[in-house]
Amino acid sequence: MKSKPRIGVVGGGIGGLTTAIAMLRRGYDVSVYEQAAELREVGAGLQISPNGVRVLCSLGLEKELMEVSFEPEGKEIRLWNTGDTWKLFDLGVESKERYGYPYVTVHRNDLHQLLIRAVEAAAPGAIHLNHRFTHVERNDDRVTLAFDGQPSATFDVAIGADGVHSKMREQLFGAGPAKFTGIVAWRGVIPMESLPKELQKPVGVNWVGPGGHVIHYPIRRGELMNFTSVVERRDWKIESWSTPGTNQEYHDDYPGWHPEVQAYIEKIPQPFKWALIARPPMQNWVNNRVALLGDACHPTLPFLAQGAVMAIEDACILGRAFEEFDTIGEALARYEATRVPRATRAVNGATANTERFHNPALADPANAQAYVDQEWAPEKVVDRYEWLFRYDPTSVPLVDRAEATA
């Protein structure tokens, strides 16, 4: 663009901060507005596959990312009651050879903090805390963001990266349908030194069983074990990551599961639980000079490990669109057309894994072998993951709507 528009970003999470960095690296004036009084990410571990790592490296964050993350050697499938193990795929050196970038696991807060530092280094004071977004006003050439108890701010463009409960989405497109999945998730972080050696596995493990599954992998250079699981139950419908549970309640949700699973649960200092709510991916993300990004427009179930990565990809494509096209309207249209099909496929892929991970056939070890052989056959693994990992957000063509639907 001949003149660089001023950009206001609502939401200081991973998607909003990556967007800010992508724009700041290109010389744009960016301000980020976060409702929290301090930038402190809650949560636990994230898996950043090579497609996401590629973006972070392109933004000059490779050194910082690798200093706080862990490179698992591979991924395994294990059967809930017997512990039978099948290799899903290799990672480590093979990931770099195959995709050009590693597959890493990282504590959400570690990634969040390095993004904060990058924004502040590029534009001191660009992050504005204690700004609870209330509404947006637009005319032909300006967007004004209003906040509770704070002065409003006017920009050429606004990006709504305010998460799954997006106020921006609600204002522009309505709240949209949301449905309880009948699934409750648990999470916890375990100090690695508290685990016996046989549980300090340098791989990502996915235990599958009837009505639930369990995932664990090292984070923070291997100093912590991230432990996350889900179980089908309908008595808890609170969608909050910060509701504490008890270790006994956690055990009670996994009767008959392998002793290793129980041992991990016992070692969690404080488990948390939350209900999983499904929302269909939106097909329109742009309204005039405002665009949505990340969970605000394509919230996903956590069964494909791509939620954060999709937001990181969004940020990369958005930055490229502003660099490559002459008008704000064209840039936002290209961003939307390029991202909607891919994000939709990722959301649908995660939903499909619900039945795959929880299938009743896994109840009987005799049937489980045949089921795993069928569902995790090499060609099916390739079909589910290669299109994700090989995607290069830094160079894919930025298509228009007609090209995207052709």
Side-chain angles (χ1 to χ4, degrees), residues 3 24 81 102 104 172 195 200 222 284 329 339 343 372 383 404:
S3 62
L24 289 167
N81 54 354
V104 303
L172 298 181
L195 293 171
Q200 298 181 21
N284 296 104
R339 292 301 300 158
V372 171
D383 184 60

Side-chain angles (χ1 to χ4, degrees), residues 220-238:
R220 191 171 288 167
R221 301 170 294 274
E223 297 166 16
L224 302 171
M225 181 68 77
N226 184 69
F227 192 87
T228 307
S229 67
V230 300
V231 63
E232 295 176 6
R233 52 181 273 199
R234 295 189 169 274
D235 63 336
W236 186 264
K237 298 185 179 182
I238 299 175

Side-chain angles (χ1 to χ4, degrees), residues 10-11 133 159-169 292-293 295-296:
V10 176
F133 169 75
I159 308 300
D162 49 342
V164 67
H165 299 294
S166 172
K167 189 77 172 178
M168 186 75 81
R169 177 188 66 222
L292 301 179
L293 181 143
D295 283 349

Side-chain angles (χ1 to χ4, degrees), residues 132-390:
R132 183 180 295 276
F133 169 75
T134 58
H135 63 277
V136 59
E137 298 175 359
R138 291 160 295 157
N139 56 34
D140 290 340
D141 59 359
R142 291 290 184 272
V143 177
T144 299
L145 302 174
F147 307 95
D148 183 14
Q150 299 282 7
S152 60
T154 299
F155 299 93
D156 300 296
V157 183
I159 308 300
D162 49 342
V164 67
H165 299 294
S166 172
K167 189 77 172 178
M168 186 75 81
R169 177 188 66 222
E170 182 178 339
Q171 285 202 19
L172 298 181
F173 300 99
K179 180 181 179 182
F180 175 50
T181 60
I183 296 173
V184 173
W186 286 90
R187 66 174 176 86
V189 176
I190 309 168
M192 194 68 77
E193 62 185 14
S194 73
L195 293 171
K197 289 294 184 184
E198 62 269 21
L199 298 187
Q200 298 181 21
K201 300 177 184 294
V203 297
V205 180
N206 185 357
W207 298 78
V208 294
H213 73 275
V214 171
I215 293 174
H216 55 80
Y217 49 82
I219 55 175
R220 191 171 288 167
R221 301 170 294 274
E223 297 166 16
L224 302 171
M225 181 68 77
N226 184 69
F227 192 87
T228 307
S229 67
V230 300
V231 63
E232 295 176 6
R233 52 181 273 199
R234 295 189 169 274
D235 63 336
W236 186 264
K237 298 185 179 182
I238 299 175
E239 192 183 21
S240 169
W241 273 47
S242 57
T243 303
T246 68
N247 296 78
Q248 186 57 56
E249 184 186 5
Y250 204 158
H251 281 300
D252 291 345
D253 271 349
Y254 293 87
W257 283 62
H258 195 272
E260 286 191 20
V261 172
Q262 307 298 340
Y264 282 118
I265 292 173
E266 191 61 31
K267 290 292 186 178
I268 297 173
Q270 174 59 70
F272 295 88
K273 62 180 178 178
W274 73 101
L276 294 184
I277 308 299
R279 296 171 174 83
M282 297 173 60
Q283 300 306 298
N284 296 104
W285 301 1
V286 174
N287 189 321
N288 197 351
R289 287 173 171 252
V290 183
L292 301 179
L293 181 143
D295 283 349
C297 48
H298 51 78
T300 179
L301 296 177
F303 301 156
L304 199 60
Q306 289 292 307
V309 174
M310 287 297 110
I312 291 168
E313 288 187 2
D314 289 348
C316 177
I317 296 297
L318 188 62
R320 286 184 53 207
F322 273 78
E323 186 174 52
E324 296 178 24
F325 295 96
D326 293 332
T327 68
I328 291 171
E330 179 71 5
L332 293 180
R334 293 280 181 156
Y335 159 69
E336 179 186 75
T338 301
R339 292 301 300 158
V340 165
R342 179 164 169 85
T344 299
R345 186 177 177 185
V347 172
N348 291 339
T351 301
N353 271 343
T354 308
E355 182 177 353
R356 184 173 294 115
F357 291 170
H358 299 182
N359 200 283
L362 295 164
D364 181 357
N367 296 329
Q369 177 71 57
Y371 181 78
V372 171
D373 288 345
Q374 169 190 309
E375 290 299 317
W376 282 276
E379 63 274 12
K380 290 191 176 181
V381 172
V382 167
D383 184 60
R384 286 200 288 271
Y385 294 99
E386 285 287 295
W387 71 275
L388 286 166
F389 298 171
R390 289 194 179 280

